[in-house]
Amino acid sequence: MPDTRVPRPRRFLVCEPRHFTVRYAINPWMHPDVRVDVDLAREQWQALISAYRAHGHAVDAVDPVPGLPDMVFAANSAVVVGGRVFGSLFHAPERRPESDHYDSWFRGAGYAVHRPGSVSEGEGDLVWTGRYLLAGHGFRTTREAHREAQEFFGHPVISLTLVDPYFYHLDTALFVLDDGGATGRGNNIVYYPEAFSAGSREVLRRLYPGAVEATRDDALAWGLNSVSDGRHVFIAPQAEALAVRLTARGYVPVPVDLSEFHKAGGGIKCCTQEIR
Ligand code: ARG
């Protein structure tokens, strides 16, 4: 284990939770009868942005749109690798209009956007590891979209089957701890094995024999929905046990509480898209 893990500055795209609430239920975490403290949600989100900036990361923001309460979950609207933008097509009709707003932002920033032909929820299910894309299916993003992403990026896409409705997006069950830098050699992940089919679990074990395997408690505490810059791991404070294990491996946990967003089935990574 290196004594000093080296952070790499990132560029993140986010969306302020001005219109955030829980009004419909499209995953098991969402209960429209449970009240969201919108002021607290805004404070929590601001704390996340401050933490990113304090650690040297650039943050861009898309304007939130009234009537699109889940638009705060920026990760779902695209996956960007090498300046190429693979946009989104949401599973839920309630979220479909979000794609146009994100696309306009990308076009304004000088990027062309490829719109997928079948359901694809951005970095929620398509996770760039530094070497290839890990891709979840079972609840949202389709296998057809995995194939399309592979053709689009020209990077290998490894399809993984998600089996637990609580972990309906790949980014609720797995995150990239280290992209391994220029060579990709130190690439490593954290994941919750039981969220995957037996075969997919085996694939992850073969690809990442040195991975951190998380528990169901870590996953339920939103610990797998973290963002790592290679040194700092922005992580839910509820996932304390996982943070202790990451510390032992030389990473520095930065706790950020997004409890109000957990009520919508989202956490730190869901609120954060990376522009690479
Ligand atoms: N309510 C949103 C949905 O169900 C939450 C999305 C969370 N985002 C994520 N990347 N997992 O679509």
Side-chain angles (χ1 to χ4, degrees):
M1 180 191 99
D3 303 344
T4 325
R5 302 278 183 185
V6 184
R8 187 170 56 73
R10 309 290 165 119
R11 182 179 177 199
F12 295 133
L13 182 62
V14 298
C15 179
E16 193 200 316
R18 207 181 304 157
H19 309 293
F20 172 65
T21 183
V22 176
R23 172 179 320 140
Y24 48 78
I26 55 171
N27 67 57
W29 301 87
M30 298 177 91
H31 303 286
D33 45 308
V34 171
R35 201 182 134 268
V36 171
D37 183 335
V38 289
D39 293 328
L40 178 58
R42 283 179 215 187
E43 276 169 40
Q44 292 180 330
W45 184 86
Q46 279 301 340
L48 175 65
I49 306 311
S50 303
Y52 285 149
R53 292 198 166 125
H55 289 85
H57 304 300
V59 182
D60 282 309
V62 173
D63 282 334
V65 176
L68 297 177
D70 275 336
M71 199 174 162
V72 63
F73 299 115
N76 303 151
S77 62
V79 55
V80 185
V81 180
R84 291 174 64 76
V85 183
F86 189 80
S88 56
L89 174 58
F90 284 90
H91 178 74
E94 293 90 338
R95 295 198 67 184
R96 289 213 165 168
E98 293 178 32
S99 304
D100 283 345
H101 299 291
Y102 276 92
D103 287 5
S104 315
W105 185 90
F106 277 110
R107 280 197 299 272
Y111 297 89
V113 178
H114 173 86
R115 288 286 280 265
S118 58
V119 169
S120 187
E121 299 199 349
E123 288 194 306
D125 280 318
L126 297 167
V127 174
W128 173 245
T129 65
R131 291 195 285 181
Y132 27 67
L133 283 149
L134 299 178
H137 72 91
F139 298 101
R140 303 283 181 94
T141 302
T142 61
R143 285 182 134 125
E144 189 45 53
H146 295 183
R147 282 191 284 273
E148 196 177 338
Q150 176 162 285
E151 287 305 309
F152 178 73
F153 288 115
H155 286 297
V157 171
I158 293 151
S159 289
L160 302 166
T161 306
L162 295 164
V163 296
D164 183 332
Y166 277 92
F167 309 110
Y168 59 93
H169 269 150
L170 182 59
D171 75 357
T172 63
L174 176 151
F175 73 95
V176 177
L177 194 48
D178 218 307
D179 63 11
T183 64
R185 238 175 288 133
N187 175 213
N188 201 10
I189 61 168
V190 183
Y191 70 105
Y192 167 51
E194 281 70 33
F196 298 89
S197 66
S200 297
R201 233 178 278 163
E202 194 55 33
V203 168
L204 287 170
R205 285 210 180 98
R206 283 180 206 274
L207 290 176
Y208 294 102
V212 178
E213 295 194 10
T215 65
R216 184 170 185 84
D217 283 346
D218 297 328
L220 288 170
W222 288 92
L224 282 302
N225 197 245
S226 300
V227 169
S228 171
D229 65 15
R231 174 175 174 80
H232 310 104
V233 183
F234 302 88
I235 186 169
Q238 294 84 354
E240 213 186 320
L242 180 58
V244 169
R245 294 176 62 203
L246 297 178
T247 304
R249 289 195 178 217
Y251 294 94
V252 180
V254 178
V256 181
D257 191 0
L258 291 193
S259 60
E260 290 309 297
F261 298 90
H262 299 168
K263 296 174 180 171
I268 294 172
K269 174 58 208 173
C270 302
C271 290
T272 313
Q273 189 187 137
E274 185 174 343
I275 302 180
R276 304 174 184 84

